[in-house]
Amino acid sequence: APTDEQAYFDAVLAADQRIEPRDWMPDAYRANLIRQIAQHAHSEIIGMQPEANWLTRAPSLRRKAILLAKIQDEAGHGLYLYSAAETLGADRGELTEWLISGRQKYSSIFNYPTLNFADVGVIGWLVDGAAICNQVPLCRSSFGPYGRAMIRVCKEESFHQRQGYELLMTMMRGTDAQRHMVQEAVDRWWWPALMMFGPPDGDSPNTERSMRWRIKRHTNDELRQRFVDMSVPQAEALGVTLPDPELSWNDERGSHDFGEPDWAELSQVIAGNGACNAQRIEVRRAAHEGGAWVREAAAAFADKNKEMRP
Ligand code: FAQ
């Protein structure tokens, strides 16, 4: 028979209510949440790099201000998520070490280079679009601090998505060269965006358990389908072509059929062999080492305050 604690945990999940940090939870539930939340936090922090590449070359003060605000939001999301992981007993310093040493992952999408300014728009439209599609259901995740963090994060991601779409709309109203830049960027980002949702369900070892625990609310393939259906009319309104010859409306399913992403490419990028993996981690390592004196000073100051308190 289950223990009282296990029975309470099961009842909370069955009633679709939240598990809170001080509640008992199975060790594997805790470990799985730390894994997903840490990977999510790392993605937000590493995700600042591809866009930061264009900060000093934004074409106007307005575009620079928008981009700067977006990148700062990503930093906030990362810190917010590390805090959620800390409520589970994770140590933030250790999580950062695990990111830098490659023991923990971050989203594959941030290992692709940003080659022209249209990439900033396409990241907003497709990458933040995919992030929203994946994260809105996480607002109902069974772990309280994670679900609540997602509510705020999703509001900010919506702004990010719209700034990207608006940027692309502006470029599409511009010259042929600008329209060409947008299409070229869409061609490069479409398939990697589909891969953000993770491997196909048959190859996703975590989905079944995460669904049972109500950490995840939909499978990887369900969310990928939702994203495709959402993006097709947006691409039409924009006047770009999605680079998939198999993309077509399926009346019977009430959804779009689409081609198979290159799963071997996803495995390679997750394994550390994408175009920018080494560079992303190196930049993060340098920033972490460069900030060591700040952490030491803050710790020394905290110790001193403790001593001085009566
Ligand atoms: N990249 O069994 P599953 C953003 C790993 S949005 C790298 O299916 P799960 C906003 C997975 O960890 C991006 N690794 O795993 C932004 C697992 O390995 P593990 C971040 C991937 O967890 C926008 C293994 O493969 N969003 O940052 C990927 O059930 C613009 C097997 O996979 C989130 O993290 C991948 N694409 O499903 C910021 C959302 N896919 O850990 C800046 C929260 C899978 O066992 C600029 N996370 N793996 O060693 C999730 O929803 C889930 O964790 C999934 C993966 C759906 C990503």
Side-chain angles (χ1 to χ4, degrees), residues 87-100:
T87 69
L88 290 158
D91 179 87
R92 188 182 299 218
E94 203 163 66
L95 296 180
T96 300
E97 295 296 338
W98 289 348
L99 166 65
I100 290 171

Side-chain angles (χ1 to χ4, degrees), residues 35-36 39-40 43-44 47 51 70 74 105-108 110 127-128 131 134-135 138 146 157 195-199 204-207 216 220 270:
R35 178 193 67 83
Q36 177 166 328
Q39 166 176 304
H40 195 166
S43 303
E44 301 279 358
E51 291 173 287
K70 177 186 192 299
E74 315 295 2
K105 303 185 165 101
Y106 60 91
S107 181
S108 51
F110 304 118
V127 175
D128 286 278
N134 166 267
Q135 286 166 33
L138 293 175
Y146 191 37
E157 301 288 19
M195 294 176 199
M196 286 175 71
F197 295 92
S204 166
N206 297 297
T207 292
K216 281 168 83 162
N220 298 354
I270 294 179

Side-chain angles (χ1 to χ4, degrees), residues 154-291:
C154 285
K155 284 182 190 165
E156 295 183 349
E157 301 288 19
S158 302
F159 150 63
H160 298 169
Q161 205 259 357
R162 297 191 61 138
Q163 70 80 35
Y165 199 73
E166 191 266 348
L167 191 165
L168 296 178
M169 272 291 186
T170 305
M171 288 185 80
M172 292 304 284
R173 283 195 300 264
T175 63
D176 279 346
Q178 285 175 304
R179 277 186 284 278
H180 178 75
M181 277 168 77
V182 173
Q183 181 63 56
E184 192 271 331
V186 170
D187 290 346
R188 278 184 290 109
W189 289 95
W190 173 248
W191 292 106
L194 292 188
M195 294 176 199
M196 286 175 71
F197 295 92
D201 293 349
D203 299 324
S204 166
N206 297 297
T207 292
E208 197 270 328
R209 234 175 21 162
S210 289
M211 299 268 288
R212 199 153 26 83
W213 279 329
R214 304 199 176 191
I215 294 170
K216 281 168 83 162
R217 294 295 183 144
H218 304 279
T219 70
N220 298 354
D221 286 333
E222 283 167 10
L223 292 173
R224 195 170 2 254
Q225 177 73 62
R226 190 179 282 189
F227 176 68
V228 170
D229 290 338
M230 186 177 104
S231 300
V232 168
Q234 293 174 356
E236 270 165 25
L238 204 51
V240 296
T241 308
L242 297 174
D244 179 357
E246 292 177 50
L247 191 61
S248 66
W249 177 252
N250 181 327
D251 222 10
E252 228 165 85
R253 292 200 305 119
S255 261
H256 293 85
D257 291 335
F258 57 100
E260 189 86 1
D262 182 349
W263 299 121
E265 176 179 318
L266 176 63
S267 303
Q268 278 300 311
V269 175
I270 294 179
N273 303 320
C276 301
N277 293 62
Q279 180 191 343
R280 300 293 185 238
I281 290 297
E282 197 36 51
V283 168
R284 185 68 195 91
R285 179 200 304 280
H288 188 59
E289 285 170 5

Side-chain angles (χ1 to χ4, degrees), residues 3 5-6 8-9 19-27 30:
T3 59
E5 285 164 328
Q6 177 78 50
Y8 177 77
F9 175 85
I19 302 294
E20 295 298 337
R22 287 179 191 170
D23 293 339
W24 180 90
M25 61 188 84
D27 290 343
R30 184 186 301 275

Side-chain angles (χ1 to χ4, degrees), residues 43-117:
S43 303
E44 301 279 358
I45 297 297
I46 295 284
M48 296 165 77
Q49 292 184 38
E51 291 173 287
N53 184 37
W54 284 94
L55 261 183
T56 54
R57 288 169 290 160
S60 68
L61 180 60
R62 177 171 173 270
R63 290 292 170 203
K64 180 166 175 152
I66 295 170
L67 187 56
L68 194 56
K70 177 186 192 299
I71 295 170
Q72 286 177 339
D73 284 352
E74 315 295 2
H77 298 172
L79 299 181
Y80 208 24
L81 284 162
Y82 284 128
S83 298
E86 282 177 322
T87 69
L88 290 158
D91 179 87
R92 188 182 299 218
E94 203 163 66
L95 296 180
T96 300
E97 295 296 338
W98 289 348
L99 166 65
I100 290 171
S101 67
R103 178 165 159 189
Q104 281 185 336
K105 303 185 165 101
Y106 60 91
S107 181
S108 51
I109 193 76
F110 304 118
N111 294 304
Y112 292 84
T114 41
L115 302 180
N116 78 47
F117 194 73

